Amino acid sequence: MAGVKDITRDLDKLDSQLDDLEEALAPLLGNIDEISSQMPLLDKAKLFSLTAYSIESLLFSALKLQGTDAQNHAVYAELKRVQQYFGKIRAIEEPPAERSTTVNKEAAARVLKADLSDNKDLSKRLAEKIAEERARALLKSVEGRKRPAEDSAGSSVEDKSVKKSKNKNKAKGKSKR
């Protein structure tokens, strides 16, 4: 028995730490409904998942201390489930970055041309598709350069001349009086 270490000091330390934990969790567990009602939805999810994880990990620790196979117990499955909630919350907090890669169309066309060079029919259809795409792009660029109100330019000149003649008539009418 000389090789066995006296664990009473460690047990006393554990007991005091558990008492401290109970004191720290008492306000939280006593008023959890009031506390959560004042929080935003994401913070509520964090609170409830952290509370559940704390309780489950305490149960897991208690099972380990009793010598039970805690890895095959239902508490272990609950711990894993709550950890999945942590992952879901983290995914919501940090949305995935937008894709920064784009398709290099010219390189893809070169690869297709090289691979289809043996098959004349497919090569011809590919060349037609590329020509169509180029024509669409050219048409789009030309449409983008047009002024949006070409027809209204002529009518605005006529409107201005009509307004000038009305103003002249008003001025003549005032001088005659």
Side-chain angles (χ1 to χ4, degrees):
M1 290 296 225
V4 176
K5 180 181 163 185
D6 187 26
I7 61 168
T8 55
R9 190 168 39 134
D10 292 335
L11 288 176
D12 291 338
K13 185 178 175 182
L14 176 65
D15 189 38
S16 67
Q17 288 176 346
L18 286 175
D19 290 339
D20 292 342
L21 179 65
E22 284 178 3
E23 288 176 20
L25 290 178
L28 177 66
L29 294 177
N31 300 337
I32 198 162
D33 289 333
E34 287 179 29
I35 293 170
S36 67
S37 67
Q38 300 168 357
M39 294 180 150
L41 189 60
L42 187 61
D43 290 339
K44 277 185 191 179
K46 286 181 188 178
L47 174 69
F48 288 133
S49 60
L50 285 172
T51 305
Y53 189 78
S54 301
I55 293 169
E56 296 295 334
S57 63
L58 286 173
L59 289 172
F60 182 80
S61 299
L63 288 173
K64 285 282 242 186
L65 287 173
Q66 290 177 357
T68 308
D69 184 19
Q71 298 287 339
N72 294 326
H73 199 275
V75 171
Y76 186 73
E78 286 297 310
L79 275 173
K80 292 298 178 186
R81 185 177 65 83
V82 173
Q83 285 177 350
Q84 289 176 349
Y85 288 139
F86 290 150
K88 290 177 182 180
I89 291 170
R90 191 176 311 115
I92 291 171
E93 285 181 326
E94 302 166 5
E98 292 185 26
R99 269 185 28 188
S100 61
T101 57
T102 57
V103 176
N104 186 346
K105 294 180 182 178
E106 292 84 22
R110 285 193 306 269
V111 168
L112 286 174
K113 281 181 185 177
D115 284 345
L116 299 176
S117 63
D118 295 341
N119 191 336
K120 299 293 182 192
D121 185 41
L122 287 176
S123 181
K124 182 180 174 184
R125 286 191 353 209
L126 177 64
E128 289 173 359
K129 287 288 184 185
I130 290 173
E132 286 177 18
E133 287 296 321
R134 285 184 183 158
R136 276 193 211 127
L138 179 64
L139 185 61
K140 223 179 208 182
S141 68
V142 169
E143 285 177 353
R145 288 187 206 153
K146 286 184 181 178
R147 290 178 42 194
E150 283 182 4
D151 295 336
S152 65
S155 64
S156 66
V157 171
E158 292 173 7
D159 290 340
K160 288 179 185 176
S161 63
V162 170
K163 286 180 183 177
K164 284 182 183 178
S165 65
K166 285 183 181 178
N167 287 338
K168 286 181 183 178
N169 290 338
K170 285 182 183 178
K172 288 180 184 177
K174 287 181 183 177
S175 62
K176 289 182 180 177
R177 288 186 186 169

